[in-house]
Amino acid sequence: MAITAPAMTEELGQTLAREQVSLWADAWRRLRRNRLALAAFLYLVLLAVVALVAIVYTPYPMAHQGVAVPYSPPSASHLLGGDAQGRDILSRLMIGAQISLIVGVGTQLVVLAVGLPLGLLAGYYRGWFDTVLSFLINVFYGIPDLLVALILVVLIGRSSLWVIIFAIAVTRWMDMARLVRGQTLSLREREFVEAARSTGARPSKIIFKHILPNALGPVIVQATFGVPQAILFEAFLSFLGLGVPPPTPSWGSMASDGIAAMRISPHIVLAPAIALSLTLMAFNFLGDGLRDALDPRQKR
Amino acid sequence: MFTKGSLFYIGQRTVLIVFTVLAVSSIVFLGIHRLPGNAFFSERLRGSQEAVLLHHYHLDEPLLVQYKTFIGNLLHGDLGESLIFRGVKIAPLVAREATVSAEVGVTALIFTVGLGILFGVLAAMRQNTWVDYLLSTTSVIGYSMPNFVIATFLLLVFGIYLDNLTNGAIFYEIGWSGTYGTPGQIWLPAIALGFPYASIVARLTRASMLEVIRQDYVRTARAKGLSERVVVLRHALRNALIPVVTILGPLVIGIITGSVVIENIFGIPGLGKEFVTSILSRDYNIVIGVFTMYAALVGLANLGVDLLYTVLDPRIRY
Amino acid sequence: MTEPVLQVKGLKTQFFTDDGVVQAVDDISFDLHAGETLGIVGESGCGKSVTALSILRLVQEPGRIVAGQILFRGDDLVTMPEEEVRHIRGKDIAMIFQDPLSSLNPVLRVGFQIAEAIEAHERIPGKVALGRAVQLLKQVRIPAAESRVRDYPHQFSGGMRQRAMIAMALANSPSILIADEPTTALDVTVQAQILELLRDLNEDLKTAIILITHNMGVVAGLCSRVIVMYAGRIVEHGPVERIFKNPQHPYTWSLLQSMPRLDSDRRKRLVSIEGLPPDLIAPPSGCRFNPRCQFKIGRCLHDDPPLMEVSPEQEAACWVTMDRALKKNGQAHA
């Protein structure tokens, strides 16, 4: 082992890097064994494929009314039947998948872009920045998210995917910020950070090379759980009529349309309801699996 | 529980709540009043009528003056008048609707917490048996489903299928007679509202119980010769519930949020329904009023949860 | 000699884990007489705590008693139904544990927890039980007992908590008190006080005490007899003075050697026992101590020595014994 201080830190960093690689490999092994999480992952891949396909092809144009008999049950020509306006439910469901995935993943990307740096900075530098951030986080926590999102949609005046993503991200960024801040706070006290600091490493290097990789585990888990939260949120918004404007179908708006016709044609509400439930469940099972796999306290 | 210290704490928190409500209210008020001018009235009015109405609602005054009037009224408990239903005072309307929402919300809460704790304890005591696995799976399903999906399934089963099956003997009809609902009407929306959270509570209780049951003081309790039932209920559960109380705050907020959707499905004349109706009909005064009421409810709920802590855990004193 | 109040015969307790079967307690036998103070000594993991838990049938899954008898006043505790064992717990045989902070329920008042021990076995009104709790606190020398009884555990100091646990254990005047490392979590001055308290209680109440510890010094302060355990077995036992003056098993000898003394030569290095504690899933063949023993002979590697008498009332499980080992090296005993 080289004797000079920077060299030793470098070695230590490499050893830890090796440990991290094996931590990820370890986690992957554990995840692979979790049947439920794997099934969930496969379902989500399938969903993504369907959403991608829907960009270029759906059995029928999703906005065309009258291509199917209104309220018609599933049949050979319309696999999921027709809705109240005679539109093909399957096609609309496919577009709905796009909406859900875009909103779900999109919000998490925004949340990461905002919460990650804020949390890292607040946790590492502490001081007034941390105090301000913590205060903001507490304020935002006290307000019911749906209500804020609804008001935002009203204030902005109109709704679109971007507006929705923005509204959801505004109400949920603090989960990520708080998590990252907590992780940073505890990681900065660990010995390898002290070692790095004692050899004069720049703060940016410490944050990016030492703290961030170690905080990544819980961050990934949080983001995975955040996606279904966002999808659920969007479903609520469109259920209430404040989501993406018609005729673009969201699973939520399809469900609210379907409830009115529940007596005569339950399939109109069941299709989006089941799609929503399965998708949310899949993300939750995957998140559970990831959390168990990345938990360093697991013995094998 | 009612020591001098805790009364002081309650007083402090109440002041904080008042400030928060004022702040939230102000933000919404100012935000809405920035909207383009005649968005306030949906009808096309003739010149003089419009001027009269604008004057009646103080909308012809400068913003700062309007704001001062608003805050002044607010501190007296006056939330103004509805824009669409002229002459209807908002404060009593919103207050009454809050009680309706509370009726359903509290029922949902009792269901959530009660059932959740029950199943959580059961799963923990029968760890790794079929009871446990059943609970773990249903709980994920439970909190994964949007509450309107649960409501849909419940309605399909109890409102349609069972009706057909039993020829009308078991039948749930969507409808709400009068202001407050009967138990026959409340139970379905309450279950739909609370089910996702019951699952979360069950999961958390189970995890918490499993940890607590390994603790040394549980071993001591057994070594004293106490019956297993006393050990579980008196020693283990009380400690296991502490983390559960932690999520009660967000849980109540979640129920408040969820009620917006549920009330709309079931036509319950509560705060949530009013909120959506007023947004869709652009009755901004009511929007402000409802939001103010929500802010107050959330503040009170959080305070309640914090006080509940002291009952459970004597190490926490304010 | 009177009938022993507790007889442990061939006790075997094992833990069935994913990695294998851990033989925590492997064929332990000993007697305890009324009013006697018995010490059980050994390093962490040697099975002494599990032995104590086995006596009260407190061993939890994945562990259980697989063989042996524990005779208390003639009845076998191993085969007794759970309900009957519950009647004995806290009443005839009581136990106190190592960490009094974690062993007391943090959300219940101390007085309540003591009264609870009484009410578990007697139907008396709560007020009466609480009154007795106050008396018990006084008996364990806690000042201001009347007001202290309404406090919570976190309001007590470490030593006071342990006294409170002792009070709780003695609430129903048990014939046997098992103390599992009662002083390990306390600092040295408090340790001495607790030991003194236990000694006085033993003299006044004639309660038999089983003291479990890894600290030989603690044993010397309180016990009349001592059992030395290693790898789930008893390797030596006998009267305390005899063992201290003339230990026969190399492990006992090493334990005593490794005790730092104020009067020892400061230039000499501290003695420690080489090697690691044994794997209880696959213990070494022959004598279990042989990998770490500096006096072993060929036979030790494949023949497991039984307990053999080395002097009146003293038995050791060793083919060599320290007498012979030291004579061989030309040393005499201290």
Side-chain angles (χ1 to χ4, degrees):
Chain A
M1 205 158 78
I3 305 293
T4 61
M8 278 174 78
T9 315
E10 203 54 44
E11 295 242 12
L12 187 61
Q14 276 176 9
T15 316
L16 287 159
R18 264 193 306 251
E19 260 182 30
Q20 274 170 27
V21 165
S22 64
L23 185 73
W24 292 114
D26 226 10
W28 175 235
R29 236 186 338 121
R30 280 200 291 260
L31 188 61
R32 263 207 322 238
R33 278 195 279 160
N34 185 340
R35 302 260 188 83
L36 214 48
L38 279 184
F41 184 68
L42 274 153
Y43 168 84
L44 291 173
V45 168
L46 205 65
L47 190 70
V49 166
V50 167
L52 282 171
V53 164
I55 298 180
V56 289
Y57 168 75
T58 56
Y60 297 87
M62 56 111 177
H64 280 196
Q65 305 187 7
V67 291
V69 177
Y71 304 106
S72 57
S75 62
S77 56
H78 294 273
L79 287 175
L80 287 176
D83 71 357
Q85 273 88 28
R87 296 176 287 201
D88 179 42
I89 292 186
L90 177 59
S91 309
R92 290 173 67 78
L93 208 66
M94 288 168 71
I95 303 287
Q98 282 182 348
I99 307 277
S100 293
L101 286 178
I102 292 178
V103 172
V105 177
T107 27
Q108 287 314 293
L109 290 176
V110 174
V111 159
L112 277 169
V114 171
L116 201 54
L118 284 181
L120 281 173
L121 289 174
Y124 190 77
Y125 287 110
R126 316 241 288 240
W128 64 268
F129 186 77
D130 185 23
T131 323
V132 168
L133 185 71
S134 301
F135 175 72
L136 274 179
I137 291 181
N138 281 327
V139 166
F140 272 84
Y141 253 113
I143 312 175
D145 39 19
L146 190 63
L147 306 181
V148 170
L150 285 173
I151 296 248
L152 275 176
V153 170
V154 167
L155 290 182
I156 297 179
R158 55 187 178 76
S159 193
S160 71
L161 271 185
W162 289 114
V163 172
I164 295 180
I165 292 183
F166 171 70
I168 300 178
V170 160
T171 52
R172 291 258 62 91
W173 65 274
M174 61 279 194
D175 288 329
M176 185 60 71
R178 198 165 74 151
L179 175 73
V180 174
R181 173 184 174 271
Q183 290 284 307
T184 311
L185 276 177
S186 69
L187 281 170
R188 81 200 279 278
E189 308 301 330
R190 297 269 296 271
E191 298 83 14
F192 59 87
V193 171
E194 274 215 40
R197 233 182 297 161
S198 67
T199 64
R202 279 194 330 262
S204 56
K205 182 162 172 207
I206 297 182
I207 293 181
F208 281 111
K209 217 166 148 193
H210 296 288
I211 296 189
L212 184 55
N214 282 291
L216 221 46
V219 166
I220 293 180
V221 174
Q222 173 84 313
T224 311
F225 279 123
V227 173
Q229 270 184 7
I231 297 182
L232 183 62
F233 211 106
E234 188 279 324
F236 274 174
L237 283 177
S238 33
F239 188 88
L240 294 170
L242 290 156
V244 275
T248 315
S250 152
W251 287 344
S253 59
M254 287 173 74
S256 89
D257 290 340
I259 286 195
M262 210 163 49
R263 274 196 169 278
I264 26 173
S265 317
H267 66 277
I268 304 185
V269 70
L270 278 179
I274 295 180
L276 257 176
S277 307
L278 284 178
T279 307
L280 294 173
M281 263 187 258
F283 274 110
N284 280 324
F285 278 128
L286 185 61
D288 268 348
L290 278 175
R291 184 183 48 204
D292 287 341
L294 288 168
D295 182 357
R297 277 188 290 168
Q298 291 262 39
K299 259 175 291 183
R300 27 176 77 180
Chain B
M1 184 174 130
F2 288 112
T3 66
K4 193 161 74 127
S6 67
L7 285 176
F8 184 67
Y9 176 76
I10 295 179
Q12 263 184 326
R13 285 290 294 266
T14 315
V15 170
L16 199 63
I17 293 177
V18 170
F19 268 116
T20 316
V21 170
L22 284 177
V24 165
S25 226
S26 307
I27 294 176
V28 178
F29 179 89
L30 293 171
I32 284 189
H33 278 261
R34 291 233 146 267
L35 292 173
N38 290 336
F40 273 84
F41 297 112
S42 44
E43 313 144 33
R44 229 155 288 273
L45 306 159
R46 276 179 306 160
S48 57
Q49 271 193 330
E50 189 174 337
V52 165
L53 274 177
L54 282 176
H55 184 75
H56 178 76
Y57 284 104
H58 303 278
L59 289 167
D60 49 354
E61 295 166 10
L63 187 57
L64 214 55
V65 176
Q66 286 190 47
Y67 180 63
K68 271 174 38 184
T69 322
F70 170 69
I71 293 293
N73 287 342
L74 185 56
L75 288 172
H76 284 102
D78 178 7
L79 282 164
E81 225 179 278
S82 160
L83 290 174
I84 299 200
F85 303 104
R86 319 270 152 74
V88 171
K89 284 265 163 213
I90 296 182
L93 173 73
V94 155
R96 189 189 66 229
E97 285 168 345
T99 56
V100 175
S101 293
E103 192 192 17
V104 180
V106 168
T107 315
L109 194 64
I110 294 176
F111 160 73
T112 300
V113 174
L115 222 69
I117 294 180
L118 183 66
F119 280 114
V121 171
L122 224 71
M125 300 320 297
R126 305 254 177 280
Q127 196 189 4
N128 291 332
T129 60
W130 65 270
V131 173
D132 190 16
Y133 287 133
L134 184 68
L135 176 84
S136 297
T137 340
T138 32
S139 70
V140 179
I141 298 179
Y143 68 72
S144 298
M145 290 208 283
N147 59 19
F148 59 81
V149 168
I150 298 178
T152 306
F153 286 145
L154 285 173
L155 279 173
L156 278 175
V157 169
F158 288 95
I160 300 181
Y161 293 144
L162 281 186
D163 176 34
N164 292 336
L165 222 60
T166 61
N167 241 343
I170 303 176
F171 179 53
Y172 182 87
E173 174 155 22
I174 298 184
W176 201 262
S177 48
T179 313
Y180 299 103
T182 65
Q185 292 167 324
I186 293 186
W187 71 272
L188 208 146
I191 290 182
L193 190 51
F195 199 81
Y197 303 103
S199 310
I200 297 181
V201 168
R203 264 199 127 181
L204 188 57
T205 309
R206 174 187 175 275
S208 186
M209 274 298 279
L210 285 178
E211 266 219 38
V212 164
I213 215 87
R214 293 187 217 299
Q215 293 296 311
D216 287 346
Y217 53 82
V218 172
R219 183 181 55 177
T220 307
R222 288 210 184 96
K224 285 200 285 203
L226 295 171
S227 71
E228 194 64 16
R229 206 189 56 156
V230 169
V231 171
V232 168
L233 291 179
R234 192 190 292 162
H235 286 265
L237 193 57
R238 258 192 82 164
N239 283 280
L241 285 183
I242 294 178
V244 175
V245 172
T246 309
I247 62 152
L248 263 190
L251 200 149
V252 170
I253 294 185
I255 288 191
I256 290 180
T257 314
S259 68
V260 172
V261 170
I262 292 291
E263 284 176 16
N264 271 279
I265 298 180
F266 290 92
I268 300 175
L271 222 49
K273 184 152 193 296
E274 185 66 68
F275 191 54
V276 176
T277 316
S278 58
I279 283 185
L280 289 174
S281 61
R282 304 281 187 272
D283 194 340
Y284 297 118
N285 277 5
I286 297 191
V287 172
I288 298 173
V290 169
F291 211 81
T292 308
M293 186 52 117
Y294 269 131
L297 281 177
V298 168
L300 287 172
N302 280 326
L303 178 59
V305 168
D306 285 341
L307 286 178
L308 195 58
Y309 261 126
T310 61
V311 169
L312 265 188
D313 190 348
R315 289 172 290 188
I316 299 180
R317 282 274 176 269
Y318 297 117
Chain C
M1 192 64 140
T2 47
E3 264 296 303
V5 67
L6 185 75
Q7 285 179 296
V8 176
K9 297 186 182 186
L11 178 67
K12 281 194 198 186
T13 307
Q14 296 178 344
F15 287 81
F16 299 86
T17 70
D18 289 334
D19 295 320
V21 179
V22 180
Q23 300 162 38
V25 176
D26 195 19
D27 198 11
I28 299 279
S29 303
F30 64 88
D31 291 344
L32 181 71
H33 294 90
E36 189 176 20
T37 49
L38 173 70
I40 303 184
V41 179
E43 58 194 13
S44 307
C46 71
K48 45 195 205 296
S49 289
V50 179
T51 306
L53 290 172
S54 302
I55 295 177
L56 273 182
R57 290 260 300 264
L58 284 175
V59 179
Q60 300 257 286
E61 287 296 317
R64 58 173 189 274
I65 304 176
V66 297
Q69 291 179 307
I70 302 176
L71 299 174
F72 176 66
R73 301 209 184 120
D75 296 318
D76 186 6
L77 295 176
V78 174
T79 54
M80 208 185 270
E82 174 72 20
E83 260 307 292
E84 286 182 41
V85 179
R86 209 172 58 73
H87 287 307
I88 295 182
R89 281 189 203 131
K91 181 156 165 287
D92 300 301
I93 307 179
M95 189 159 170
I96 63 176
F97 300 94
Q98 176 172 337
D99 184 358
L101 179 56
S102 62
S103 299
L104 287 170
N105 194 326
V107 302
L108 297 172
R109 296 181 208 271
V110 173
F112 176 83
Q113 296 187 51
I114 300 180
E116 198 185 25
I118 304 174
E119 285 170 347
H121 300 278
E122 235 185 284
R123 307 200 118 266
I124 55 173
K127 278 217 163 80
V128 177
L130 210 56
R132 279 214 238 160
V134 176
Q135 291 309 312
L136 285 161
L137 285 181
K138 287 193 176 141
Q139 207 173 2
V140 293
R141 302 173 195 155
I142 289 184
E146 286 88 356
S147 60
R148 280 299 191 179
V149 87
R150 292 176 42 79
D151 280 346
Y152 289 94
H154 67 276
Q155 293 169 287
F156 275 38
S157 74
M160 281 168 66
R161 271 180 232 131
Q162 195 58 291
R163 291 173 196 273
M165 284 226 47
I166 296 175
M168 199 162 70
L170 296 174
N172 299 303
S173 307
S175 7
I176 303 178
L177 172 66
I178 307 177
D180 189 357
E181 309 251 23
T183 55
T184 308
L186 306 169
D187 48 87
V188 183
T189 42
V190 181
Q191 269 187 34
Q193 293 171 3
I194 297 292
L195 290 176
E196 199 188 310
L197 174 62
L198 286 175
R199 203 179 14 237
D200 292 341
L201 290 171
N202 166 250
E203 277 173 24
D204 299 333
L205 304 172
K206 303 284 183 278
T207 314
I209 298 183
I210 301 180
L211 180 67
I212 299 174
T213 177
H214 60 270
N215 185 336
M216 290 297 265
V218 164
V219 167
L222 182 60
C223 306
S224 55
R225 270 201 316 137
V226 66
I227 289 175
V228 182
M229 279 183 71
Y230 183 81
R233 297 269 184 82
I234 297 180
V235 295
E236 186 162 10
H237 70 90
V240 165
E241 286 107 27
R242 199 94 41 91
I243 299 276
F244 269 69
K245 275 220 183 76
N246 197 7
Q248 286 307 306
H249 193 280
Y251 177 62
T252 318
W253 181 81
S254 310
L255 274 182
L256 288 166
Q257 288 287 306
S258 63
M259 272 170 62
R261 296 174 54 130
L262 273 178
D263 57 349
S264 59
D265 189 348
R266 291 247 289 267
R267 288 166 298 170
K268 284 173 73 180
R269 305 180 78 205
L270 284 176
V271 176
S272 64
I273 309 178
E274 275 183 26
L276 297 164
D279 178 3
L280 291 174
I281 295 179
S285 54
C287 168
R288 292 188 176 182
F289 187 62
N290 84 64
R292 304 168 78 180
C293 183
Q294 38 175 298
F295 304 109
K296 59 175 174 261
I297 57 177
R299 189 174 186 192
C300 303
L301 294 168
H302 47 81
D303 259 348
D304 198 1
L307 279 166
M308 302 175 285
E309 187 171 351
V310 289
S311 78
E313 290 182 27
Q314 182 183 2
E315 286 184 340
C318 183
W319 298 121
V320 182
T321 77
M322 291 310 297
D323 277 340
R324 282 194 282 266
L326 293 174
K327 236 181 280 172
K328 235 178 13 182
N329 297 352
Q331 292 166 269
H333 265 292

